[in-house]
Amino acid sequence: MNKMNQTIKLIDGPIGNEAINTEIFQTSEDTQNGAYALFIGRVRADDEEPSPVEAIEYSAYPEMVAIVMGELSEELFGHYSHLTGLRVLHSTGRVRAGEVSLLVMVTGRHRTQIFEALSSCVELIKDRLPVWKKELLADGSSRWIE
Amino acid sequence: MPKVTLLYFGSIRDITGLASEQTVAPATLEALHQELLLHYPSLQSAHYRYSVNETLITGDHQLADGDVIALLPPFAGG
């Protein structure tokens, strides 16, 4: 199997521009990998009843997040032999509509498999990571998304 | 009787009103589950799975002193 280089960080609140820039620009020191693919997930102001989504409140089980992310990485690195790196930032706490709550970046020597690995990683995160979200609506009401 | 920690997440926390509690549990997860249903009747209609020490459990499981048992409603990351 290719060497696994993966990190996941839980960020309190939105993932700000500085954190996003850091993730992107630290790659300038990397002379081995030629391909980076990036997914950014942003909170939408969905027009729900009785009022629009103002923010999402995320909560997580951090100890289990670390373990599950290790398992997901093993599956991804096992399946995509050209994948060399995987970095994930996920928000906890309150993230307002328009702000970023998820960043996933995958790395490979070449672009082969990278887009597919990125898509698989995002789906696995949504399916298997022990994270929960509650929509906070503009009228002050809230509901769990399950 | 093992001493365990219970963790409640997401919508389950609204039912229990607590993030966590320590308790003396019966010997098995199934028996603990039955006790929790008596203590928190609203769990009857809730959807959740159990983890013991950060591992998802399907079926019954023998509990040990120091176990951390979590009630996990459906995940919704991203």
Side-chain angles (χ1 to χ4, degrees):
Chain A
M1 190 188 291
N2 41 340
K3 187 167 170 283
M4 282 179 32
N5 174 11
Q6 68 95 9
T7 59
I8 179 160
K9 281 189 217 163
L10 294 174
I11 308 279
D12 186 22
I15 301 167
N17 289 342
E18 200 179 325
I20 295 171
N21 286 339
T22 301
E23 290 301 318
I24 294 171
F25 289 112
Q26 70 181 359
T27 66
S28 62
E29 292 164 15
D30 180 1
T31 56
Q32 298 302 307
N33 295 294
Y36 287 79
L38 178 68
F39 175 85
I40 287 177
R42 214 177 269 280
V43 172
R44 288 187 312 268
D46 280 353
D47 198 13
E48 300 290 352
E49 285 297 324
S51 67
V53 174
E54 198 169 70
I56 288 179
E57 179 100 26
Y58 289 93
S59 52
Y61 183 179
E63 295 85 351
M64 195 168 165
V65 162
I67 291 168
V68 171
M69 199 61 220
E71 292 167 359
L72 300 188
S73 300
E74 212 162 299
E75 288 176 33
L76 289 163
F77 282 94
H79 189 75
Y80 298 104
S81 55
H82 294 275
L83 185 66
T84 55
L86 179 57
R87 295 181 67 80
V88 176
L89 304 185
H90 199 304
S91 289
T92 59
R94 186 173 295 215
V95 182
R96 296 170 59 84
E99 294 179 325
V100 173
S101 60
L102 174 64
L103 179 150
V104 181
M105 185 155 68
V106 299
T107 312
R109 284 183 62 78
H110 309 281
R111 68 184 181 280
T112 318
Q113 297 183 336
I114 291 305
F115 297 112
E116 208 182 317
L118 177 66
S119 174
S120 297
C121 185
V122 172
E123 295 309 315
L124 286 171
I125 284 169
K126 285 177 172 282
D127 195 41
R128 305 245 300 267
L129 216 57
V131 173
W132 298 275
K133 62 182 164 195
K134 186 189 238 180
E135 281 183 344
L136 309 176
L137 306 184
D139 70 346
S141 64
S142 65
R143 62 177 168 212
W144 289 101
I145 303 299
E146 294 184 343
Chain B
M1 300 273 273
K3 284 183 196 159
V4 302
T5 302
L6 290 163
L7 302 179
Y8 305 118
F9 290 99
S11 55
I12 300 299
R13 202 172 283 184
D14 289 351
I15 292 172
T16 60
L18 293 168
S20 69
E21 59 184 320
Q22 314 271 329
T23 190
V24 176
T28 67
L29 186 60
E30 178 55 35
L32 174 65
H33 173 61
Q34 294 305 325
E35 280 192 4
L36 287 171
L37 290 178
L38 286 176
H39 198 68
Y40 302 110
S42 298
L43 286 177
Q44 291 277 6
S45 54
H47 296 283
Y48 56 94
R49 289 180 288 175
Y50 284 96
S51 69
V52 176
N53 302 329
E54 293 93 39
T55 301
L56 279 173
I57 302 295
T58 49
D60 207 359
H61 184 87
Q62 203 71 25
L63 298 176
D65 237 6
D67 277 350
V68 177
I69 298 149
L71 279 70
L72 311 169
F75 303 146

